[in-house]
Amino acid sequence: MAKPKNETLLSIEKLEVVYHNVSTAVLGVSFEVRNHQIVALLGINGAGKTTTLRAISGFLGVDDAKVTEGLIQFRGEKIQNKPPHFITKKGIVLVPERDKVFENLTVEENLQVSVSLRKSRASGQDFKDLILHYFPVLGKVGNHLGGYLSGGERQMLALSTALVCGPRLLLVDELSLGLGPIIVDELMNLIKVIRDEQQVTVLLVEQNALAALEIADYGYVIENGRIVFAGDPDRLRNHEDIKEFYLGQGERESQKSYRDIKQYRRTRRWYG
Amino acid sequence: MMKKSLFGIVALASFMALFLTPAFAGDAYLVGFSVAVTGRGSGIYAPVKDAFDIYFKQVNARGGINGHPVKLIIKDNAAEPSKAAAHAKKFVTQDKVILFMNAALSSTYAPMVQVAKRYNVPLFFAGAVCPDAVYPPKADPNLYCSTAFGAKYDSRFAIPFIKNQAKGPLKLGLAAMNIPVSRGEIDFAEELAKGMGIEVAGKVAIPPPTPDYTPFATKLKSAGANWVYAWAPWGCEVKTFEALRKLGWKGKYLAYAHIQAEDDLARLKDDDFYVFGTNAFFADDTEMHKKIRAISVKEKTIYPYTQLTEGWIAAMVLEEILKKTPWPPTPEKVRTAMNQIKVDLEGLKGGPLVWTKGNHFRTVNYYRVYKWDSKKNGIVIVKDWSPLKVE
Amino acid sequence: MQIVVNVIVLAALYCLICCGYVLIYRASRVLNLAHGELMTIGGYFLFTVAIGLGNDPVQSFLLAFIFSLALGFIVYFFLMRFMAGESALASVLVTVALGILLRGLITLIWTSQYRHPLQHLGMENSSHQIVEGAVISTFGIAMVISTVLLYLVLFLCFKFTRWGLRMRAVGENPILASQRGISLHMYYALSWGIAAFSVGLAGMIQACDSGLDPDMFVIGLKAFPVVLVGGLDSLGGVIPAAFIVALAEILTIHYISPQASEVAPFVVLISMLLIRPWGLFGTKEELERV
């Protein structure tokens, strides 16, 4: 029942998200994620990446924001402005940037809490074995409370609990935030392996473009609520401006003048 | 031309009669009644409304009083002072009643009393605790009360009764609810008792929202009381008694007989539970009792007939007041009638209810003591009507 | 010794009532100010069922339990569900309105007379001597046993069952729980159901021990300081808090003055607010919300 590789799983068309009926955070964003791809959505702090993820996962209402224009389609079905549990049921699971595990529950309990969406697939125990296979560290800290884990362990737990749900599309918000480069590499590789072996599609939202591009099949750059560049990793890595603004500077804000930034035009690329 | 204008006049007159009559109501004795049908304590006050409903229904069915119907404007104040205030204002300024009534918690009194004084319209308390201003020697000209229990008088009967009944050394426990009128009466009873040389063993004032009366009963029991006197709302009185019994206390208990007393004597079937009051029980089965029971059953009152005596008595008093108020009625005429009223209660009390200019409570209070007798399997009179002059 | 028994029974009552406050608060951050009314209705359910079935205590209680549980679900699905996601203050106001509604319904349906379900159950509330000088009533025992059983079951379920785990997750982080596929509505409804059942049970036992009238809801308010002393979001905290408050009340009755016992719980509460505002076992962060 594997879907053909080229089929679009998630498609965002001219998305606009407005906060408090006043400020527009995302202005006409369009991109797509194909089945089994790892897609990276890159941008600095405040570019609109998290807002986009929230729009997809249905958590805009929490911040008094809503999708005012555009479409979000998942497997052909419109899902913008739908409630979170509806979207989770469709198979989209989010690993959030903050509050990603239950702090007062143990690692074991965190893993048990997730509701598996795939009834026809392997049982809960098989999933757990799978998790321990990919994240053996979690087996050692089974009794520790979520709140007392190290940064890396916590991120692993967050990914695991998301995977236990058996998602079709995994959204990961800022995987690398607060983690050292070795751990980040390890986690990125794990995601690639999981994608290869478990047929999960992944949308990575990242400030750390270098790390993300190591595993991504395709990437988009978002700035001030707009997609300004798109392409496969090589294309992104070789583009002068991307190199300067995203690959050398990591989390620091750009120090160029605004005029230079205005050079970016909204572009849209299709597979040729 | 003449026919048309005649028709017009008739039409206009009919229109006026139709739409202006309610506010005008020129034909009836208009009485306002603000009562707590719902809300705190409505178990005490709502039965008064029930009694008034059925009483005046049959009064009007018989042709009313002095040829005029009695129109009661009854409103539910839910024991809220703001609502009572609004009712009072409306009764007096809009409906133009000749007299209005209150049956609710004492927190509703102040605004209503203010209206009575300001507009000089008499206010009649029925079934609710009598305010100080109705007692002699100088009763307020606009405040009247027919309620059975009376602070500072009841204990004057109760304490000597206990002393008389007690066989052997008397250790008296005292129970009140932690509200001013009840605490005040029990404090007064304590003074009386000490003045009569009675040893007071334990005194408790129980807060109204109490889930468990056991700790208070424990205090009385451990103080060694063999008689306990309670003067409080019925719930407090009976729950304290039941708590004492659950602790294994074997003493005797005297409580004021509120409207629920008769039913609870039958429920508890305890030979040492004495109740005293100024209203007769249905166990007496007088003609009047039979009548009340019959009408209550026929009209399907919400509350059982055993709880209607207090309201029925107040209704009888009101009927007598209106009978003595010549047409057309005014508040002044009503006051005149009330200041000379003498109502024959046909066995519901130990004697007639008499008001005078300076005494708007009653001139004489007749007390009786009842209890359950398991040998007779019924309620018996322990001490028959004993008059107490109210001065 | 009698004092000890009295404290235990009163503490048990407080525990049974406050369990519901904590459950609802922990699950959905809502302070249920209609809790006392749910207690009263539990007593009236028992009364009505007892009259209907006549002299059948076991079935009467069971049926009344079911009604109370159902009422909790109904209150959630038809009212509180719409407040999910709204501000805490708005939800609290809605519960206040619910309380007023329930009180009105109670007086309308059952009138304000004192009722005695015990008469219709064919049971007696007799006294039992435990040790020399310490007596407890049948329903005092029932109160203690019910509380112990309920807490035991709740603790075990929260620790060891999957739904107990998910309930804890919902209470801690509803957004994350929702993202992990947990149905928030179902768990909120469950918390309301269990809360209504436990406080309804307290009402039923009270009705049999002491009598039933529409003013019973005030006891629900009286128990509230216990929740704040123990920590609004801590089920375990209720137990020591209930004992402390019950002890304070009863010692006040015996050694200070009976009328001051009304104030005792609030004195304890104020002391706790001065020393440790989030309660014995509450979490600090919760303090802002309160």
Side-chain angles (χ1 to χ4, degrees):
Chain A
M1 273 264 298
K3 296 228 173 322
K5 229 180 158 23
N6 280 348
E7 178 165 327
T8 303
L9 193 63
L10 177 75
S11 123
I12 315 286
E13 279 174 58
K14 297 207 186 86
L15 187 71
E16 254 188 43
V17 177
V18 176
Y19 278 85
H20 310 299
N21 288 338
V22 174
S23 70
T24 311
V26 170
L27 302 150
V29 157
S30 301
F31 64 92
E32 63 177 15
V33 178
R34 299 207 171 199
N35 218 4
H36 303 319
Q37 275 193 323
I38 296 177
V39 171
L41 186 60
L42 308 171
I44 59 169
N45 232 355
K49 316 186 298 299
T50 300
T51 306
T52 308
L53 271 195
R54 290 222 183 105
I56 300 170
S57 61
F59 281 96
L60 286 181
V62 180
D63 299 309
D64 188 24
K66 61 177 198 278
V67 173
T68 48
E69 291 259 353
L71 285 177
I72 304 177
Q73 286 191 47
F74 183 69
R75 297 169 78 203
E77 189 181 344
K78 298 201 183 87
I79 62 168
Q80 71 270 10
N81 285 329
K82 289 273 196 284
H85 62 266
F86 178 89
I87 294 178
T88 311
K89 270 212 197 82
K90 293 292 166 191
I92 303 178
V93 179
L94 167 69
V95 179
E97 181 190 332
R98 283 173 295 190
D99 294 334
K100 53 187 87 177
V101 299
F102 293 108
E103 316 237 321
N104 291 319
L105 269 59
T106 65
V107 168
E108 265 289 326
E109 289 171 341
N110 262 278
L111 290 168
Q112 283 174 340
V113 143
S114 299
V115 177
S116 171
L117 298 157
R118 318 269 200 112
K119 298 291 193 296
S120 57
R121 275 266 209 122
S123 72
Q125 185 54 42
D126 294 338
F127 259 120
K128 271 198 53 205
D129 291 339
L130 216 61
I131 298 299
L132 291 177
H133 165 73
Y134 291 122
F135 303 97
V137 167
L138 292 182
K140 300 198 195 98
V141 294
N143 282 331
H144 292 206
L145 285 183
Y148 291 141
L149 296 177
S150 71
E153 288 167 349
R154 193 184 293 224
Q155 193 62 281
M156 284 193 225
L157 181 58
L159 280 167
S160 312
T161 57
L163 289 169
V164 166
C165 293
R168 288 189 195 280
L169 172 64
L170 186 67
L171 309 172
V172 187
D173 197 350
E174 304 284 9
L175 179 71
S176 67
L177 212 53
L179 299 180
I182 300 177
I183 297 264
V184 172
D185 274 342
E186 194 183 318
L187 288 175
M188 288 291 183
N189 281 326
L190 265 172
I191 289 182
K192 186 153 197 277
V193 165
I194 291 171
R195 185 279 307 264
D196 294 339
E197 294 177 11
Q198 299 302 324
Q199 325 272 296
V200 185
T201 310
V202 182
L203 174 60
L204 273 181
V205 155
E206 263 304 325
Q207 286 183 36
N208 185 344
L210 253 178
L213 289 175
E214 285 295 308
I215 64 165
D217 299 317
Y218 204 80
Y220 297 88
V221 178
I222 184 171
E223 230 178 64
N224 292 326
R226 289 190 160 90
I227 302 279
V228 295
F229 202 77
D232 58 44
D234 282 326
R235 186 159 185 267
L236 269 89
R237 274 192 282 254
N238 291 327
H239 193 281
E240 282 305 317
D241 293 325
I242 303 279
K243 272 197 335 206
E244 192 176 342
F245 286 99
Y246 290 98
L247 299 181
Q249 309 215 315
E251 290 158 39
R252 273 168 38 215
E253 275 187 90
S254 169
Q255 284 171 8
K256 290 271 177 165
S257 78
Y258 191 58
R259 188 153 38 100
D260 298 329
I261 296 175
K262 269 178 18 175
Q263 282 176 32
Y264 290 123
R265 271 193 257 286
R266 200 198 314 179
T267 50
R268 212 166 160 191
R269 294 283 168 158
W270 295 102
Y271 278 120
Chain B
M1 208 45 195
M2 274 289 281
K3 266 198 180 149
K4 265 198 182 159
S5 49
L6 187 64
F7 178 77
I9 291 171
V10 169
L12 186 62
S14 320
F15 179 88
M16 286 176 73
L18 196 61
F19 290 105
L20 295 185
T21 324
F24 188 41
D27 191 39
Y29 282 97
L30 261 179
V31 176
F33 194 174
S34 179
V35 51
V37 183
T38 62
R40 291 288 300 273
S42 47
I44 308 169
Y45 309 114
V48 176
K49 170 191 177 292
D50 263 12
F52 266 69
D53 280 340
I54 58 177
Y55 191 95
F56 285 98
K57 184 172 172 188
Q58 39 127 22
V59 162
N60 286 335
R62 280 189 262 118
I65 298 177
N66 299 339
H68 298 272
V70 177
K71 185 156 161 42
L72 287 171
I73 308 172
I74 304 184
K75 289 209 169 289
D76 179 12
N77 59 37
E80 284 168 44
S82 52
K83 288 208 174 112
H87 295 163
K89 271 275 224 29
K90 178 176 180 292
F91 289 154
V92 167
T93 59
Q94 255 184 282
D95 302 315
K96 305 264 192 260
V97 298
I98 52 174
L99 130 91
F100 64 119
M101 302 178 62
N102 171 309
L105 289 176
S106 47
S107 52
T108 59
Y109 289 11
M112 294 188 79
V113 169
Q114 248 191 22
V115 168
K117 288 189 174 166
R118 182 162 166 221
Y119 292 93
N120 214 16
V121 177
L123 172 57
F124 176 8
F125 293 89
V129 63
C130 290
D132 288 338
V134 308
Y135 290 107
K138 269 209 102 191
D140 185 293
N142 277 312
L143 302 181
Y144 299 80
C145 186
S146 68
T147 309
F149 55 92
K152 302 292 191 325
Y153 293 99
D154 292 351
S155 298
R156 271 185 235 177
F157 167 80
I159 301 296
F161 170 78
I162 293 178
K163 181 154 192 211
N164 234 295
Q165 285 282 315
K167 300 176 176 62
L170 173 60
K171 281 176 144 188
L172 182 64
L174 296 169
M177 180 184 267
N178 196 19
I179 51 178
V181 60
S182 172
R183 245 195 1 248
E185 183 66 11
I186 287 298
D187 287 343
F188 174 66
E190 186 182 19
E191 266 176 53
L192 276 179
K194 287 190 176 151
M196 293 177 75
I198 299 173
E199 184 189 340
V200 172
K203 181 173 79 162
V204 291
I206 304 168
T210 294
D212 194 357
Y213 284 74
T214 317
F216 301 96
T218 306
K219 184 148 193 211
L220 289 174
K221 180 167 180 262
S222 54
N226 52 18
W227 263 90
V228 171
Y229 170 55
W231 198 92
W234 183 252
C236 180
E237 292 180 330
V238 75
K239 285 181 190 179
T240 306
F241 172 69
E242 288 184 82
L244 279 165
R245 281 288 184 256
K246 271 185 272 172
L247 285 172
W249 183 73
K250 299 275 187 283
K252 294 175 195 257
Y253 198 91
L254 177 68
Y256 185 85
H258 291 287
I259 63 176
Q260 307 95 332
E262 186 166 5
D263 287 336
D264 267 354
L265 281 188
R267 175 175 70 93
L268 294 169
K269 295 193 171 53
D270 191 306
D271 280 45
D272 289 327
F273 185 31
Y274 295 76
V275 296
F276 78 103
T278 61
N279 292 347
F281 277 5
F282 277 82
D284 293 1
D285 209 25
T286 63
E287 283 308 311
M288 193 44 120
H289 285 116
K290 289 188 181 132
K291 185 175 172 193
I292 300 174
R293 182 177 180 160
I295 299 181
S296 157
V297 167
K298 175 162 166 264
E299 299 290 341
K300 296 201 184 56
T301 52
I302 299 172
Y303 288 81
Y305 63 89
T306 47
Q307 297 181 11
L308 297 182
T309 309
E310 183 69 36
W312 193 272
I313 290 173
M316 290 176 83
V317 171
L318 180 62
E319 184 184 11
E320 188 62 25
I321 293 170
L322 296 178
K323 271 196 185 142
K324 294 288 195 296
T325 307
W327 196 265
T330 64
E332 182 59 46
K333 289 185 188 170
V334 170
R335 270 195 298 272
T336 309
M338 285 165 115
N339 284 332
Q340 302 162 24
I341 206 82
K342 182 176 172 164
V343 188
D344 173 13
L345 293 162
E346 298 178 47
L348 292 182
K349 275 191 182 308
L353 180 137
V354 179
W355 284 339
T356 67
K357 187 145 181 262
N359 184 342
H360 294 167
F361 177 65
R362 59 211 72 129
T363 52
V364 184
N365 231 358
Y366 301 88
Y367 291 96
R368 217 186 217 177
V369 183
Y370 290 95
K371 80 172 180 83
W372 182 265
D373 189 327
S374 34
K375 277 186 238 118
K376 301 206 175 110
N377 203 32
I379 295 175
V380 297
I381 299 173
V382 176
K383 186 170 166 126
D384 208 344
W385 297 117
S386 317
L388 185 75
K389 274 222 177 90
V390 174
E391 278 152 346
Chain C
M1 254 331 273
Q2 184 63 48
I3 292 184
V4 173
V5 170
N6 292 346
V7 171
I8 293 177
V9 173
L10 187 60
L13 173 68
Y14 284 154
C15 282
L16 205 50
I17 296 175
C18 293
C19 158
Y21 276 124
V22 172
L23 277 177
I24 293 177
Y25 185 78
R26 241 172 88 146
S28 51
R29 296 297 174 276
V30 169
L31 211 55
N32 175 23
L33 292 185
H35 209 51
E37 285 81 358
L38 290 176
M39 177 182 180
T40 316
I41 275 201
Y44 278 103
F45 279 156
L46 180 67
F47 171 70
T48 303
V49 167
I51 289 188
L53 293 179
N55 282 338
D56 191 347
V58 175
Q59 273 199 53
S60 300
F61 272 99
L62 280 176
L63 208 55
F65 289 166
I66 294 176
F67 281 151
S68 271
L69 196 64
L71 180 63
F73 287 131
I74 290 173
V75 165
Y76 181 73
F77 275 116
F78 289 97
L79 184 66
M80 297 315 295
R81 177 166 58 110
F82 303 106
M83 302 305 295
E86 301 289 339
S87 80
L89 184 63
S91 305
V92 169
L93 290 177
V94 168
T95 65
V96 171
L98 174 67
I100 296 174
L101 174 70
L102 289 177
R103 258 181 277 153
L105 280 176
I106 290 172
T107 308
L108 206 65
I109 300 174
W110 286 288
T111 79
S112 305
Q113 292 175 64
Y114 290 138
R115 303 289 192 177
H116 302 275
L118 210 53
Q119 281 182 295
H120 308 277
L121 282 173
M123 284 181 79
E124 253 192 48
N125 192 18
S126 33
S127 309
H128 310 270
Q129 183 145 35
I130 310 178
V131 290
E132 181 67 48
V135 172
I136 192 172
S137 66
T138 308
F139 281 93
I141 296 177
M143 187 77 80
V144 177
I145 292 183
S146 307
T147 307
V148 169
L149 278 179
L150 183 73
Y151 271 75
L152 212 60
V153 167
L154 282 177
F155 275 131
L156 290 175
C157 283
F158 281 146
K159 196 91 183 109
F160 296 117
T161 65
R162 191 159 289 218
W163 68 257
L165 201 54
R166 292 196 172 134
M167 181 85 103
R168 281 164 57 199
V170 166
E172 184 187 321
N173 190 339
I175 298 178
L176 183 60
S178 180
Q179 279 169 350
R180 293 291 169 266
I182 298 174
S183 161
L184 292 184
H185 283 314
M186 189 171 96
Y187 285 92
Y188 290 159
L190 197 58
S191 73
W192 274 87
I194 300 177
F197 161 73
S198 62
V199 79
L201 173 60
M204 292 175 215
I205 298 178
Q206 255 308 97
C208 291
D209 199 16
S210 167
L212 182 60
D213 71 273
D215 290 339
M216 196 199 260
F217 72 93
V218 187
I219 299 177
L221 288 176
K222 193 159 186 257
F224 190 62
V226 172
V227 187
L228 292 178
V229 168
L232 200 47
D233 60 333
S234 166
L235 196 58
V238 172
I239 301 175
F243 272 97
I244 294 174
V245 172
L247 192 65
E249 258 188 80
I250 289 181
L251 289 181
T252 307
I253 294 175
H254 280 276
Y255 299 115
I256 304 179
S257 93
Q259 50 258 47
S261 67
E262 220 174 348
V263 173
F266 293 97
V267 171
V268 176
L269 175 61
I270 291 174
S271 320
M272 183 57 75
L273 288 175
L274 290 172
I275 304 170
R276 198 184 155 88
W278 50 94
L280 288 173
F281 293 97
T283 44
K284 264 198 199 144
E285 296 72 38
E286 292 307 317
L287 188 58
E288 308 157 21
R289 297 190 221 243
V290 180

